[in-house]
Amino acid sequence: MDGKHQLTEQELWEKYLAVTRELMKFIDEEDIDTFLELVDQRQQLMEMLQALPDHEYARSLEGVALRKQIEPMDMQIMHKARSWLNRSKRNNMTVRGYDSFGLATGNMFNREY
């Protein structure tokens, strides 16, 4: 043991729930940088959970109830992330459209007639 406190399965699931709530907050605020950092943290928590030898807490009534709290938030996060991504793509396409339009009209006005 390296002297670090090992988190229990219950503590890991509680942290997973807390990070999921934070994800909701930051996707609503469209703070994508923080959102992506939290996605990484949550992935690390999931990897820690998967590495556990047994999943007794996850199968307990309390664990099942906790996971049921997470499920609808996951669905909302995925929906909001997709919506943000689609808006971002549309905005980028619009900007590129104006950029190419601006170059074309700029060249037209720079011509000598």
Side-chain angles (χ1 to χ4, degrees):
M1 200 63 111
D2 60 3
K4 290 184 181 178
H5 170 70
Q6 292 251 325
L7 296 173
T8 67
E9 182 184 9
Q10 180 176 353
E11 291 170 324
L12 288 170
W13 274 112
E14 288 169 355
K15 286 185 176 291
Y16 191 90
L17 174 62
V19 171
T20 301
R21 286 182 176 140
E22 290 296 302
L23 283 170
M24 288 287 295
K25 181 173 96 177
F26 287 105
I27 194 72
D28 286 342
E29 294 173 0
E30 296 191 9
D31 183 345
I32 301 306
D33 291 333
T34 304
F35 175 80
L36 292 174
E37 289 175 25
L38 289 169
V39 167
D40 289 341
Q41 287 179 27
R42 196 170 85 144
Q43 179 62 35
Q44 290 173 1
L45 288 168
M46 182 51 67
E47 289 169 5
M48 293 168 72
L49 283 162
Q50 290 172 340
L52 293 173
D54 62 36
H55 302 279
E56 191 175 313
Y57 177 78
R59 290 188 300 266
S60 72
L61 291 177
E62 187 180 351
V64 169
L66 187 141
R67 289 185 306 143
K68 284 187 179 188
Q69 288 179 16
I70 293 170
E71 285 177 24
M73 286 189 279
D74 272 347
M75 297 303 289
Q76 287 180 330
I77 289 167
M78 286 190 306
H79 175 73
K80 289 177 181 189
R82 279 191 202 115
S83 295
W84 176 85
L85 185 59
N86 288 337
R87 273 192 321 277
S88 179
K89 285 179 182 178
R90 273 194 312 273
N91 289 344
N92 285 339
M93 287 176 19
T94 301
V95 167
R96 279 190 227 130
Y98 281 120
D99 284 347
S100 62
F101 180 74
L103 290 174
T105 58
N107 290 337
M108 185 176 75
F109 289 120
N110 289 335
R111 290 184 188 160
E112 292 183 29
Y113 290 98

